[in-house]
Amino acid sequence: MKRQPVLSVEDLSVSFRMYDTGLEQADLQVISNLTLDVCPGEIVAIAGSSGSGKSLLAHAVMGLLPGNASVTGKILYKGMLLSQKEKEKLRGKEIALVPQSVSYLDPLMTVGAQVTGRTPDEKTLKAQKEIFQRFHLKEGTEKLYPFQLSGGMARRILVSTAVLSNAQIILADEPTPGLDLEMAVEALKIFRELADEGKSVLLITHDIDLAFHIADRVAVFYAGTTVEIADAEDFQKGPKALRHPYSKALWEALPQNGFKPIPGFQPYAKDLPKGCLFSPRCPYKTEECEKEIPMTKVRGGYVRCIHAD
Amino acid sequence: MKNKYYLKFTGKYLLRVVTLLIAVSVVSFILVSLSPVDPVQQYVGAVPNVSVEQRAKIAEYWGLNDPPVQRFLAWAGSVLHGDFGVSLLYRRPVLDIIAEKFTASLALMMTAWLFSGILGFGTGCAMGMFHGKWPDKILKKLCLVMCSIPTFWIGIVFLMVFSVGLGWFPMGMSVPQGVPAEKVTILQRIHHLILPALTLSFLSFANVALHTREKLVDVLESDYVLFAEARGETKWSVLKRHGFRNILLPAVTMQFGSFSELFGGSVLAENVFSYPGLGAAASAAGMNSDVPLLLGITLFSALFVFAGNMLANIIYGIVDPQIREGYRNE
Ligand SMILES: Nc1ncnc2c1ncn2[C@@H]1O[C@H](COP(=O)(O)OP(=O)(O)O)[C@@H](O)[C@H]1O
Ligand code: SF4
Ligand SMILES: [Mg+2]
């Protein structure tokens, strides 16, 4: 794939300024040297356990991080470096977010008013009707308030805001939990269709095995960084085709692959290990692993492990 | 369906107000009975040469020698017939006095109420929008200071500065002295109202502002504001579309729920400014052991506070979709 990425994230680090007890100030590094890109027509799935920084990446791209966050690294849209101001201009128009839960809807405003925005024209209203139909949302759903929605309905409504926005890039933050399998497949199919129309989708998801089937590439997150980025095919093939010990372990932990859990815990941002962030849990760890580990190209994919081959 | 709901709603409130009034009557009657002030002495007051027999006769006439329970029942019985008795202090029917004084107080309380509500809300919004920046920091400190200043003290300061020092406002009362009631102009009334109203709104202004600020900060940090921004809404649009909508409800509820503080504050403010309202009458009745008036005012103020809370609930029900739909489905 030699296309120019629409969105590239280069060496992104995000830390939060926190105040410990008293006036002591600590910087909490939650994303470290993260690198990722997505091309037109492509779905990149992001897999990783909760707390690995998936939502924060999406928020960072849209310039939605809170005031106490400091960001280093680059975020480029069509090759152009994005400042906060430009992010604000692009969001909702070029870049759309599908947020994680119903709490992202204003509890006192009807769903329709939130999906179609301030001053919807005829065309928008018509498009909204069509999209709702496509998602099996009954007529009249737009008049409901968020508390009247079931989890699945809320999820579909959140997805439809992004579809309606006509954005070039869609950042979908776990769009499938709460949907039954059929609906989840339906939602993912819609992302696939959008991608086939030339849009780009960053699909953050827990349903990794579903994602493997509709995504083009998969990025595995661990403790706020990308440990492996590879073709989705490799993830369907299994551990032999994968490169990073954590990706392999993630694969083995899937139900159909034996449900083998990985011992240990993802480190908390407050005490990250030196060098490789996975080293405390890695069976292949050597002294070398305590140095800074770069992303390297191995067998056509990218991996952050010096012992990968 | 709908009628049934309204019936249920009204019934619930009626039941509540009746139990409230009974409880308030009993408690205040007990408190008044425990008062060490002798009403006969207060009644007779400075008049010399009132013999012991005459005093005993007054006590007998008022039924002061009867056991408290009997006295309470007698009083409650006539109240049920709409007779609240005659004020010992003013020597006129209690209800007339309450009506007259409440009119004066209402002007004062409503001015202060609107003043603190509107300005407090506006200031709170400004603080919330500038959350953490210097306008917020300065205003917040100011409000915290205002919160800790007692009403009567600020009233005296206002009097000293604006009436005694600058001479901008009258020293007290609600009308100029020596002018017949029918000749008092509305401007004169307003002129007399300003300082007491400012005093009364002083504390609640700061409370409303701080409360609004907290709420707005919460809302602006909420997920749904984040998502609104993600959809491309500007800061101003977010404030208009989501901010106000979500803070107005708690603000209105708080405002109607503040009738008790309003009434409590009016007692202090009216006393400092010798403003002839219900608050001043309440403390006069207390000081002089004017039991019928005191009980009447107590019941009335309970009703007043209850009305405020009821209005708050009704408004909440109209505005909040969750409650509105909940009622509909009940
Ligand atoms: N505003 C914040 N302040 C401090 N820490 C935060 C904040 N938001 C998120 N984090 C931390 O950043 C890490 C990554 O969060 P997130 O991106 O939400 O994870 P996930 O991969 O589950 O979406 C978590 O450890 C979380 O506690
Ligand atoms: S760099 Fe070392 S510790 Fe990290 S995953 Fe590779 S082998 Fe394991
Ligand atoms: Mg998340």
Side-chain angles (χ1 to χ4, degrees):
Chain A
M1 231 182 302
K2 272 278 153 274
R3 282 171 298 181
Q4 154 115 13
V6 233
L7 179 75
S8 15
V9 177
E10 290 173 14
D11 233 6
L12 179 78
S13 295
V14 175
S15 52
F16 285 110
R17 180 140 307 150
M18 303 300 264
Y19 291 92
D20 269 356
T21 42
L23 288 171
E24 222 165 288
Q25 178 181 316
D27 277 345
L28 208 59
Q29 174 131 3
V30 286
I31 289 186
S32 326
N33 308 101
L34 190 150
T35 297
L36 186 71
D37 59 18
V38 54
C39 293
E42 191 185 35
I43 298 182
V44 175
I46 295 179
S49 56
S50 100
S52 59
K54 305 183 296 294
S55 297
L56 285 179
L57 167 69
H59 295 175
V61 167
M62 304 201 79
L64 289 171
L65 292 174
N68 64 332
S70 62
V71 181
T72 61
K74 292 184 198 161
I75 293 172
L76 301 123
Y77 177 69
K78 294 183 175 164
M80 178 182 70
L81 187 66
L82 291 185
S83 64
Q84 175 65 23
K85 230 195 191 139
E86 278 149 343
K87 286 180 194 167
E88 283 171 20
K89 248 188 261 159
L90 292 182
R91 60 196 186 199
K93 296 184 192 73
E94 300 288 315
I95 309 178
L97 177 74
V98 178
Q100 218 174 341
S101 73
V102 69
S103 72
Y104 286 82
L105 289 174
D106 186 333
L108 298 184
M109 191 184 270
T110 59
V111 164
Q114 300 188 63
V115 172
T116 52
R118 271 156 294 176
T119 44
D121 47 27
E122 286 291 310
K123 225 176 80 196
T124 318
L125 285 175
K126 198 164 150 264
Q128 177 249 311
K129 279 220 166 78
E130 276 169 24
I131 292 163
F132 273 26
Q133 231 163 34
R134 190 164 160 191
F135 278 109
H136 308 296
L137 290 163
K138 278 201 293 274
E139 200 149 330
T141 303
E142 69 276 5
K143 294 202 189 75
L144 296 181
Y145 287 91
F147 78 94
Q148 294 169 303
L149 306 173
S150 70
M153 279 161 90
R155 195 75 62 181
R156 283 174 273 159
I157 285 162
L158 293 174
V159 175
S160 51
T161 53
V163 178
L164 191 66
S165 72
N166 238 331
Q168 180 59 43
I169 302 174
I170 293 174
L171 307 175
D173 197 351
E174 309 203 13
T176 49
L179 298 181
D180 54 37
L181 186 65
E182 196 186 337
M183 219 49 241
V185 171
E186 175 71 14
L188 293 181
K189 256 200 220 146
I190 286 173
F191 287 125
R192 185 68 261 171
E193 281 169 29
L194 289 170
D196 292 343
E197 286 164 20
K199 306 244 152 87
S200 307
V201 180
L202 267 185
L203 180 65
I204 297 169
T205 184
H206 263 122
D207 291 334
I208 325 177
D209 33 340
L210 279 185
F212 293 167
H213 286 95
I214 67 129
D216 299 293
R217 283 188 295 150
V218 175
V220 178
F221 273 37
Y222 186 78
T225 195
T226 34
V227 293
E228 177 164 358
I229 304 174
D231 284 346
E233 267 173 42
D234 296 351
F235 285 84
Q236 289 172 35
K237 285 182 200 147
K240 285 223 171 60
L242 295 173
R243 297 152 191 83
H244 197 279
Y246 179 66
S247 317
K248 298 182 194 200
L250 209 57
W251 191 90
E252 311 240 333
L254 289 176
Q256 66 272 36
N257 301 331
F259 236 142
K260 287 187 278 297
I262 328 160
F265 300 97
Q266 176 174 260
Y268 181 55
K270 217 168 174 176
D271 28 31
L272 292 178
K274 253 197 8 225
C276 175
L277 296 177
F278 187 61
S279 57
R281 298 166 82 180
C282 181
Y284 313 106
K285 183 192 166 196
T286 62
E287 223 165 276
E288 297 282 280
C289 303
E290 284 183 17
K291 295 195 184 113
E292 186 117 343
I293 316 280
M295 273 305 242
T296 47
K297 197 163 184 174
V298 173
R299 284 185 275 119
Y302 291 87
V303 62
R304 201 184 289 280
C305 170
I306 43 170
H307 297 303
D309 49 14
Chain B
M1 188 63 198
K2 202 159 190 176
N3 279 338
K4 208 170 141 198
Y5 156 64
Y6 283 120
L7 219 65
K8 199 171 155 189
F9 185 84
T10 317
K12 202 168 76 181
Y13 272 102
L14 268 178
L15 194 70
R16 267 196 221 165
V17 75
V18 168
T19 35
L20 173 79
L21 290 181
I22 293 175
V24 168
S25 316
V26 171
V27 171
S28 26
F29 203 90
I30 292 172
L31 288 177
V32 165
S33 316
L34 294 176
S35 162
V37 184
D38 174 12
V40 179
Q41 179 57 40
Q42 289 299 324
Y43 182 67
V44 172
V47 184
N49 307 328
V50 182
S51 69
V52 179
E53 288 91 69
Q54 278 170 308
R55 283 165 192 263
K57 254 195 195 136
I58 297 174
E60 176 73 45
Y61 177 68
W62 284 348
L64 288 182
N65 303 326
D66 298 339
V69 177
Q70 194 180 330
R71 270 191 293 155
F72 176 73
L73 290 178
W75 174 78
S78 37
V79 163
L80 281 180
H81 288 100
D83 176 14
F84 280 74
V86 173
S87 158
L88 310 184
L89 195 60
Y90 299 93
R91 324 236 155 159
R92 281 168 47 211
V94 165
L95 277 185
D96 289 1
I97 303 211
I98 290 181
E100 175 192 315
K101 302 280 174 187
F102 182 65
T103 322
S105 280
L106 198 64
L108 174 64
M109 287 196 283
M110 284 304 117
T111 312
W113 188 75
L114 286 174
F115 196 76
S116 61
I118 294 168
L119 283 187
F121 186 76
T123 311
C125 285
M127 287 195 283
M129 270 169 75
F130 287 105
H131 179 211
K133 308 217 172 68
W134 63 266
D136 171 42
K137 281 184 184 160
I138 294 174
L139 285 171
K140 189 178 166 187
K141 288 214 176 77
L142 210 66
C143 285
L144 286 174
V145 170
M146 284 173 83
C147 267
S148 50
I149 295 178
T151 303
F152 72 90
W153 188 83
I154 197 68
I156 292 169
V157 171
F158 279 171
L159 258 182
M160 273 167 27
V161 175
F162 296 107
S163 298
V164 181
L166 298 167
W168 291 354
F169 294 101
M171 284 294 292
M173 309 303 286
S174 66
V175 289
Q177 260 178 336
V179 178
E182 61 277 5
K183 288 237 177 87
V184 181
T185 64
I186 188 92
L187 271 178
Q188 282 172 324
R189 284 187 192 276
I190 292 175
H191 195 207
H192 280 80
L193 194 70
I194 292 176
L195 271 196
L198 270 182
T199 305
L200 183 51
S201 60
F202 198 78
L203 185 76
S204 52
F205 161 81
N207 275 330
V208 172
L210 288 172
H211 180 260
T212 306
R213 173 190 181 275
E214 289 305 305
K215 287 282 165 197
L216 188 58
V217 168
D218 282 352
V219 169
L220 291 181
E221 283 174 356
S222 71
D223 286 348
Y224 55 86
V225 160
L226 184 116
F227 185 44
E229 284 175 353
R231 291 194 307 263
E233 289 193 25
T234 59
K235 259 215 139 62
W236 179 235
S237 150
V238 163
L239 191 74
K240 261 195 324 204
R241 264 164 68 85
H242 306 285
F244 289 145
R245 188 182 292 257
N246 281 279
I247 58 173
L248 210 54
L249 202 53
V252 166
T253 316
M254 184 180 160
Q255 195 61 10
F256 279 96
S258 73
F259 277 22
S260 59
E261 282 110 71
L262 198 63
F263 190 83
S266 78
V267 176
L268 299 169
E270 288 180 7
N271 274 305
V272 172
F273 290 93
S274 327
Y275 190 91
L278 203 57
S283 58
M287 302 302 275
N288 295 295
S289 220
D290 185 346
V291 177
L293 183 59
L294 195 59
L295 289 176
I297 292 179
T298 312
L299 278 185
F300 183 80
S301 58
L303 209 57
F304 178 68
V305 172
F306 181 85
N309 287 332
M310 190 176 72
L311 279 174
N313 280 336
I314 290 174
I315 291 173
Y316 215 113
I318 293 171
V319 181
D320 186 356
Q322 192 146 353
I323 295 188
R324 189 175 51 205
E325 304 287 323
Y327 279 155
R328 214 176 272 167
N329 299 338
E330 227 174 57

